[in-house]
Amino acid sequence: LERIKVSRPLIKSVCDPECLAKIGADSGASVILDRDLSSVVVRSSNPEIVRKATELVHVRVAECERLNHVHKFCHSEAWIVPKLIGKGGSSIQNLERDSGCVIEVSKEDLTVVIRGDDESKVESGRAMLVEAIDMAKKECIFIDFPE
């Protein structure tokens, strides 16, 4: 038995059912997602099969890290998230269309995940996201008054 921890923003990409099934078929191991622990569980009675499947999962994680960009906001920047989404999701939809990427926003986790088919699209989406964040920061000025 082997557990491979996967960061929450990457779960959707890494743990695509087709990919996990392919890893299982290629290695001969049972490969499943444990959502509660945010990990991939590899099982087999043969340690060599577990090693092979674990290696394939690590390759998949590395591939997904290249094709995903995760931007995490701190709590003091939480106000930016609704600005990025825009009215009715219009701003995010424009970013998706212009970058050719899928962009997922989590208000709870204060994260934006950019997923693309290739690294250049992801980089383009990342640059557009940074530009949108900078624009939001220029449009809204907050002043912290000492007590």
Side-chain angles (χ1 to χ4, degrees):
L1 175 76
E2 182 78 30
R3 291 186 194 275
I4 300 103
K5 187 81 172 153
V6 179
S7 65
R8 274 185 80 187
L10 291 179
I11 285 280
K12 191 171 185 177
S13 294
V14 171
C15 299
D16 175 56
E18 289 180 24
C19 292
L20 292 183
K22 182 170 179 1
I23 290 170
D26 291 348
S27 65
S30 169
V31 182
I32 60 169
L33 167 64
D34 184 336
R35 288 189 188 279
D36 294 332
L37 298 176
S38 296
S39 37
V40 175
V41 179
V42 176
R43 292 184 190 160
S44 176
S45 57
N46 183 334
E48 185 59 29
I49 289 175
V50 171
R51 186 198 61 72
K52 182 179 178 182
T54 301
E55 186 178 301
L56 291 172
V57 171
H58 284 294
V59 167
R60 175 73 182 153
V61 169
E63 177 185 333
C64 289
E65 285 174 343
R66 283 192 314 275
L67 298 177
N68 290 272
H69 171 75
V70 179
H71 187 94
K72 176 96 171 123
F73 293 97
C74 60
H75 288 285
S76 65
E77 296 177 318
W79 62 272
I80 295 174
V81 175
K83 298 281 277 174
L84 287 176
I85 295 170
K87 190 170 186 166
S90 61
S91 297
I92 284 296
Q93 290 170 1
N94 289 338
L95 277 174
E96 285 182 322
R97 184 190 66 240
D98 295 345
S99 67
C101 295
V102 173
I103 301 175
E104 295 177 1
V105 180
S106 171
K107 289 181 182 178
E108 298 84 34
D109 296 334
L110 297 177
T111 58
V112 176
V113 180
I114 300 171
R115 290 183 173 82
D117 298 337
D118 62 60
E119 291 179 52
S120 64
K121 284 185 180 178
V122 174
E123 179 55 33
S124 172
R126 188 201 64 76
M128 289 178 191
L129 175 66
V130 168
E131 187 178 319
I133 291 168
D134 289 343
M135 178 100 53
K137 287 180 178 179
K138 288 177 185 173
E139 290 175 357
C140 300
I141 298 174
F142 291 93
I143 300 172
D144 189 18
F145 292 105
E147 295 181 29

